[in-house]
Amino acid sequence: SWIPSTLDDWTTVHMTNITSTYYVENFLYKFEFESDGGNNIWLDNINIYKGPPSEELVGIETLNDDINGYNLYPNPASDQLNVRFDVANGGTATVSIVDITGKAVGTHRIQAAAGSNIAVIDTEKYASGVYFVNLTMGGVTRIEQLVIE
């Protein structure tokens, strides 16, 4: 059986659908693990934090290597999107869903950890079409196209 042994074996996952209405004493969250008959799931350092709401529009900035391995899946998406990225240093990151006119229709601030991160975003409320997902951290923005079915 496998046991995580290095920092590269861990990924930080950010659940953006837990809003402040859930911040109550004795908050419970259920994790359900599904596999194809093997492997274990390891959970460590579960943190709940309240991020400030944001209405900001995110523009295109110069790209550099501060954000690595940025990808979206599934793409096309229907009800949920995973935004995966790696960063050398932790800090506040902003994930914005931008429509074809350039308007930010959804913005999520997360506390990214150094290493691998995944932000899980509900996409059910968005109309079918083409969007852009902007990931901004430390003055760097990465942009990927998203199709919502």
Side-chain angles (χ1 to χ4, degrees):
S1 84
W2 178 84
I3 297 174
S5 58
T6 69
L7 288 178
D8 292 337
D9 293 333
W10 295 94
T11 297
T12 300
V13 178
H14 306 272
M15 305 299 294
T16 61
N17 61 347
I18 302 175
T19 62
S20 60
T21 57
Y22 294 106
Y23 297 160
V24 296
E25 190 173 334
N26 298 321
F27 172 78
L28 299 174
Y29 194 86
K30 178 182 176 183
F31 293 92
E32 185 173 324
F33 176 65
E34 296 180 16
S35 74
D36 293 325
N39 297 328
N40 298 322
I41 182 170
W42 297 84
L43 297 174
D44 188 25
N45 291 340
I46 299 171
N47 299 297
I48 298 175
Y49 61 90
K50 182 177 180 181
S54 177
E55 298 283 331
E56 69 180 299
L57 293 175
V58 179
I60 300 174
E61 298 179 23
T62 305
L63 303 180
N64 66 28
D65 292 331
D66 290 345
I67 301 172
N68 298 303
Y70 175 50
N71 63 10
L72 312 175
Y73 63 93
N75 193 4
S78 56
D79 59 348
Q80 182 174 294
L81 172 69
N82 295 299
V83 179
R84 186 193 174 288
F85 61 98
D86 298 321
V87 291
N89 299 304
T92 301
T94 303
V95 178
S96 298
I97 310 295
V98 179
D99 68 14
I100 201 73
T101 67
K103 178 183 176 189
V105 294
T107 302
H108 306 278
R109 288 187 188 264
I110 58 174
Q111 292 299 321
S116 180
N117 292 266
I118 298 174
V120 181
I121 299 174
D122 289 331
T123 57
E124 293 175 326
K125 66 181 179 181
Y126 301 115
S128 298
V130 176
Y131 295 83
F132 297 96
V133 180
N134 298 352
L135 171 65
T136 303
M137 186 170 177
V140 176
T141 298
R142 294 284 178 133
I143 302 169
E144 288 288 332
Q145 182 174 311
L146 168 66
V147 175
I148 296 182
E149 296 178 326

